[in-house]
Amino acid sequence: MAKRTFSTLETFLIFLLVMMTAITVALLSLLFTTSGTIGNHKDSGFHDFSTTQSSLATQGPTASQVSPVTYIPVPPLFQNFSGYHIGVGRADCTGQVSDINLMGYGKMGQTAQGILTRLYSRAFIMAEPDGSNRTVFVNIDIGMVSQRLRLEVLNRLQSKYGSLYRRDNVLLSGTHTHSGPGGYFQYTIFIIASEGFSNRSFEYMVNGIVKSIEIAHSNMKPGKIFTNKGIVDDTQINRSPSSYLQNPQSERARYSSNIDKEMVVLKMVDLNGDDLGLISWFAIHPVSMNNSNHLVNSDNMGYASYLFEQEKNKGYLPGQGPYVAAFASSNLGDVSPNVLGPHCINTGESCDNAHSTCPIGGPNMCIAKGPGRDMIESTQIIGRNIYQRAKELYESASQEVTGPLVSAHQWVNMTDVTVRLNSTHTAKTCKPALGYSFAAGTIDGNGGLNFIQGTTEGNSFWDTVRDLLLGKPSDEIKECHKPKPILLPTGELSKPHPWHPDIVDVQIITLGSLAITAVPGEFTTMSGRRLREAVQAEFATYGMQNMTVVISGLCNVYTHYITTYEEYQAQRYEAASTIYGPHTLSAYIQLFRGLAKAIATDTVANLSRGPEPPFFKQPLSPLIPDISDRAPIGRNFGDVLQPAKPEYRVGEVVEVVFVGANPKNSAENQTHSTFLTVERYEDASAAWQIVYNDASWETRFYWHKGILGVSNTTIEWHIPDNAQPGIYRIRYFGHSRKKSILESAIIRSFEATSSSFEVVTA
């Protein structure tokens, strides 16, 4: 590909970027503590699955912690039945909804400025009738599970339950919404993307995940699990079809599509047949909300959960009720929900080409669109498609899941795996590195600069910038990653902390004939197919025939993408983000086959734990400082600046503006469970009844940041067609921060209420 030249404007913008990068790296270096900050979170080891309750009560934890250890006794379980003990739980894990970057697109300036929906952790515990073997699957409305998050969750579970819930039988999976807060990572590349570490978000998320597991633990009851699978149409496209075509034609001929359209569902009921919960796996990127969005939300998969739970929890507000529905990620690496495909937004012509670039404007003009008029409508259309198909499969599910529960887990140094390619040849994985096309982004959200997907040669200008700022990559790492031109040699960067993980989790949980393969990243369509096929074959080799293998994505630790070797050669975004080199997929297949063999041959107890991952004790504070909130002179927090109109019709939008305070204060002082309510006056009870909250897709909470701590809050209610006529009001719940130089911050809660208004039918 011919070298391109830069215009004067581009050169100036590049210079500004370089300066901003240098300042950011300098700030990070100053704010981190670089010595004596690595600790280990140690669990109680890999235990025999028949561990008795008496041993649980006497075994102490080995994790370093300051809080006392309090083990919760395991209640006796009813054993005389066929099925599983099942517990489901859901808890809020939203975190910070302002002054933090949204995690997923890596777009500078895409900070949270309010909330569209709350984020939830949904936990499912399954145990055999005698209670000895159990597994925990947790689906979390976040971009991805970070290593730090998992280690802290395991630490707290061990403190409370002893060795009942461990690294091998607890699986944490992220939905991959790109509209959740960042700030919960410990590796430098993700800290930069998050613009710092937010302890308030981290604690909020950890507490929510642990609480969801606690609720599931306390709600366990005898029940049955049924499974079903089926095709979902008109919901996805492959966003890197030219890369997919690099795979052998003979392999592609075995499949009818360049995406995986199959959805797998688990239906959970009690022994009376009453509904308990649902887990669904489906491959799709939750990027219907694009990178211009600033409202925290759960995107299309979260909308599917919302619809399913509202259907089953009639009479409850969103986020409440006993039924729990989780829509989990799968091999979504190259799968987009923006089904209208990529087009040049300036000319309208297609840009579905190997470089995703437009004749005029280059790659920044090439954007894929969803089926709706705007991103929220696209989110709801795609989410409803997923929900409706899951509902059909759920209602017709009749194949019962039976058999033992087994879990296998290892930590692996992914920078040093020897891969057996065949009987005579081996290869090795690499130290982590990101290629040029990583900076290009995708058709779902480009990188902002004129980096181009499919770049297989470096650029002397950017190579020089990299060498000056970060150092020159070694010949070893460059050779290992070929044909990837290395933009960021993250595996050779350790200041202020390592930029990428070396130690990753591999894990399989089996429920009878169902194997849940927990992958620590984003597998592409064909990568996922090869992994499923290899794991299924390994089970069959050792006597476990006809296993259904599902891929659960973004589990336990995040390591970007995993492409096939052939896709890697094309070096589009997904390949440039395959951080352990061209043989990454082969390494994972080898590792997961080892876990499958151990399960099938009943030798899980003999598996090596592997090298334990680090836990960095002192990550940096957020780059956005905490300041005191101020109300304008003569005003108080919560005062109404723009009142509601006296009357609205169905389909209109109610908008009320209040004197606001920074909503991130509410993430550390959780006096209120919502930022807003929409309430209807009930004549019969002469009382106000809450009909919507900030978890409702009909509401919007916008925070408008001013100067010197002054801010406004706008609350919108998009009146749905099924709204009952009557008298309504909107309430606002917030927290203000006051801090003087020599005193600790004081956070105070406040409430505000709009004037009442009437809703009438059209």
Side-chain angles (χ1 to χ4, degrees):
M1 188 170 67
K3 302 279 187 179
R4 66 183 302 279
T5 58
F6 292 87
S7 67
T8 303
L9 176 60
E10 285 178 317
T11 303
F12 176 71
L13 291 174
I14 290 168
F15 173 78
L16 287 180
L17 176 69
V18 172
M19 292 301 100
M20 292 172 67
T21 303
I23 292 170
T24 299
V25 173
L27 284 172
L28 287 168
S29 299
L30 289 172
L31 289 169
F32 270 103
T33 301
T34 59
S35 62
T37 60
I38 298 179
N40 284 327
H41 269 38
K42 297 182 180 179
D43 67 9
S44 50
F46 204 101
H47 300 276
D48 184 82
F49 294 116
S50 60
T51 303
T52 63
Q53 187 169 334
S54 60
S55 68
L56 294 180
T58 58
Q59 185 171 7
T62 58
S64 57
Q65 55 191 29
V66 295
S67 57
V69 178
T70 55
Y71 291 163
I72 303 299
V74 182
L77 298 175
F78 173 68
Q79 299 183 19
N80 188 23
F81 72 99
S82 173
Y84 302 100
H85 292 284
I86 302 169
V88 301
R90 176 186 53 250
D92 177 21
C93 65
T94 304
Q96 197 169 318
V97 301
S98 64
D99 279 355
I100 195 166
N101 230 39
L102 298 180
M103 190 64 197
Y105 289 109
K107 180 181 178 182
M108 185 177 296
Q110 193 192 3
T111 54
Q113 297 173 14
I115 185 170
L116 173 59
T117 66
R118 288 213 163 253
L119 308 179
Y120 292 101
S121 172
R122 295 174 171 90
F124 302 81
I125 301 178
M126 294 144 281
E128 292 180 3
D130 64 1
S132 58
N133 295 348
R134 62 179 60 203
T135 60
V136 185
F137 179 85
V138 188
N139 192 52
I140 315 161
D141 287 330
I142 55 177
M144 59 284 291
V145 176
S146 77
Q147 188 174 81
R148 184 180 190 86
L149 199 66
R150 173 170 163 84
L151 291 174
E152 184 61 25
V153 167
L154 290 175
N155 185 40
R156 297 192 189 183
L157 290 175
Q158 185 189 35
S159 298
K160 187 163 189 176
Y161 298 105
S163 60
L164 190 64
Y165 300 118
R166 314 172 301 272
R167 62 181 174 87
D168 62 291
N169 68 356
V170 175
L171 189 163
L172 305 184
S173 176
T175 63
H176 202 38
T177 174
H178 284 42
S179 296
Y184 55 97
F185 299 85
Q186 65 176 8
Y187 291 99
T188 300
I189 193 76
F190 307 125
I191 290 282
I192 293 173
S194 300
E195 298 182 4
F197 176 81
S198 169
N199 193 61
R200 62 169 63 89
S201 266
F202 179 76
E203 287 292 322
Y204 201 119
M205 291 177 182
V206 170
N207 290 338
I209 295 167
V210 172
K211 184 178 180 181
S212 69
I213 295 172
E214 292 172 348
I215 294 170
H217 177 86
S218 64
N219 287 339
M220 293 185 73
K221 62 179 66 175
K224 292 183 178 291
I225 301 175
F226 299 90
T227 186
N228 201 359
K229 54 181 131 179
I231 299 301
V232 185
D233 289 318
D234 305 321
T235 304
Q236 325 138 279
I237 62 168
N238 192 307
R239 69 184 187 187
S240 286
S242 59
S243 289
Y244 181 87
L245 290 174
Q246 296 293 312
N247 295 305
Q249 194 280 331
S250 59
E251 182 180 34
R252 290 184 281 113
R254 295 165 50 202
Y255 303 98
S256 60
S257 175
N258 62 2
I259 50 176
D260 275 345
K261 297 184 178 184
E262 186 174 78
M263 172 186 286
V264 177
V265 301
L266 292 185
K267 175 181 181 178
M268 301 176 187
V269 298
D270 65 19
L271 294 183
N272 295 320
D274 294 330
D275 293 321
L276 296 176
L278 156 85
I279 306 175
S280 164
W281 287 274
F282 182 61
I284 191 169
H285 251 86
V287 290
S288 293
M289 300 292 293
N290 62 43
N291 64 9
S292 68
N293 169 60
H294 290 274
L295 296 182
V296 168
N297 70 85
S298 53
D299 213 283
N300 46 46
M301 296 291 260
Y303 188 64
S305 286
Y306 166 83
L307 292 175
F308 215 110
E309 290 179 347
Q310 287 294 96
E311 170 71 21
K312 295 294 184 180
N313 294 320
K314 291 190 183 298
Y316 287 91
L317 289 168
Q320 301 176 15
Y323 189 88
V324 179
F327 284 78
S329 59
S330 191
N331 53 319
L332 48 67
D334 53 358
V335 186
S336 170
N338 295 311
V339 293
L340 297 187
H343 290 80
C344 300
I345 58 176
N346 53 351
T347 66
E349 61 186 299
S350 173
C351 51
D352 189 7
N353 54 62
H355 301 294
S356 297
T357 187
C358 295
I360 302 173
N364 292 334
M365 293 293 109
C366 184
I367 302 293
K369 292 184 178 181
R373 291 167 295 181
D374 56 38
M375 58 182 167
I376 293 181
E377 186 178 59
S378 290
T379 300
Q380 294 175 332
I381 291 171
I382 297 299
R384 185 172 293 276
N385 284 354
I386 296 168
Y387 152 74
Q388 287 177 335
R389 189 62 176 126
K391 183 180 178 181
E392 294 168 358
L393 295 171
Y394 183 90
E395 291 174 346
S396 61
S398 59
Q399 180 182 341
E400 185 174 357
V401 178
T402 60
L405 301 180
V406 185
S407 52
H409 171 277
Q410 285 183 306
W411 284 307
V412 178
N413 183 350
M414 275 301 292
T415 71
D416 190 29
V417 178
T418 299
V419 181
R420 296 183 298 275
L421 299 178
N422 52 46
S423 59
T424 58
H425 290 78
T426 62
K428 294 197 71 172
T429 53
C430 311
K431 293 180 180 179
L434 292 164
Y436 265 68
S437 296
F438 162 76
T442 73
I443 60 173
D444 294 323
N446 58 61
L449 294 173
N450 272 343
F451 286 93
I452 296 175
Q453 291 199 69
T455 298
T456 55
E457 293 182 8
N459 175 282
S460 59
F461 174 81
W462 285 113
D463 285 350
T464 301
V465 171
R466 176 203 62 210
D467 295 348
L468 289 172
L469 289 176
L470 303 174
K472 189 175 182 179
S474 67
D475 291 339
E476 175 192 359
I477 199 171
K478 288 193 291 185
E479 183 66 27
C480 190
H481 277 272
K482 282 184 177 179
K484 177 195 293 180
I486 293 177
L487 182 65
L488 297 174
T490 54
E492 297 181 333
L493 302 175
S494 58
K495 300 294 184 181
H497 283 319
W499 283 45
H500 267 141
D502 290 346
I503 311 302
V504 306
D505 301 67
V506 290
Q507 181 183 28
I508 295 179
I509 287 177
T510 59
L511 292 77
S513 61
L514 176 73
I516 304 171
T517 307
V519 300
E522 305 177 53
F523 277 58
T524 61
T525 298
M526 194 62 86
S527 291
R529 287 169 175 169
R530 290 184 189 178
L531 178 63
R532 280 197 302 263
E533 189 174 74
V535 170
Q536 186 179 50
E538 193 74 11
F539 277 122
T541 298
Y542 295 95
M544 295 180 67
Q545 305 291 332
N546 302 316
M547 292 290 288
T548 296
V549 179
V550 297
I551 290 176
S552 195
L554 300 124
C555 294
N556 301 330
V557 59
Y558 185 59
T559 63
H560 296 265
Y561 285 74
I562 299 91
T563 65
T564 67
Y565 178 84
E566 294 84 357
E567 291 165 351
Y568 189 90
Q569 307 309 306
Q571 279 300 300
R572 279 178 59 85
Y573 172 81
E574 294 83 10
S577 305
T578 298
I579 62 173
Y580 300 114
H583 301 290
T584 300
L585 174 60
S586 296
Y588 277 125
I589 288 175
Q590 182 172 293
L591 292 165
F592 280 106
R593 286 179 62 186
L595 296 183
K597 178 181 178 181
I599 291 173
T601 58
D602 195 23
T603 57
V604 170
N606 298 333
L607 284 173
S608 166
R609 288 168 56 94
E612 194 159 343
F615 186 90
F616 305 134
K617 294 180 180 179
Q618 298 182 24
L620 87 162
S621 301
L623 299 182
I624 301 176
D626 295 329
I627 62 173
S628 295
D629 294 291
R630 292 178 53 250
I633 297 174
R635 294 282 192 177
N636 297 312
F637 294 112
D639 282 357
V640 175
L641 299 176
Q642 176 185 309
K645 296 187 299 185
E647 182 181 288
Y648 295 88
R649 295 185 179 276
V650 168
E652 294 183 332
V653 179
V654 183
E655 181 178 285
V656 184
V657 181
F658 299 89
V659 175
N662 197 322
K664 74 179 178 184
N665 302 327
S666 299
E668 58 185 291
N669 186 338
Q670 299 173 39
T671 309
H672 309 297
S673 60
T674 181
F675 288 107
L676 67 92
T677 57
V678 178
E679 302 176 2
R680 183 177 183 272
Y681 188 76
E682 297 290 344
D683 291 326
S685 60
W688 291 93
Q689 178 184 358
I690 299 173
V691 289
Y692 298 97
N693 58 17
D694 65 6
S696 305
W697 281 80
E698 294 83 359
T699 61
R700 317 276 191 272
F701 177 90
Y702 297 94
W703 180 63
H704 309 285
K705 187 175 186 177
I707 59 173
L708 300 177
V710 177
S711 63
N712 293 342
T713 291
T714 299
I715 294 176
E716 291 182 357
W717 176 37
H718 294 242
I719 306 173
D721 294 340
N722 61 354
Q724 296 181 17
I727 304 301
Y728 290 82
R729 69 181 185 184
I730 288 175
R731 301 190 70 200
Y732 166 36
F733 304 89
H735 292 86
S736 64
R737 174 186 295 271
K738 183 178 181 180
K739 187 181 187 307
S740 60
I741 296 176
L742 299 177
E743 297 179 357
S744 299
I746 299 173
I747 297 177
R748 294 189 175 94
S749 65
F750 63 87
E751 302 177 15
T753 306
S754 76
S755 57
S756 59
F757 53 90
E758 184 176 9
V759 172
V760 299
T761 56

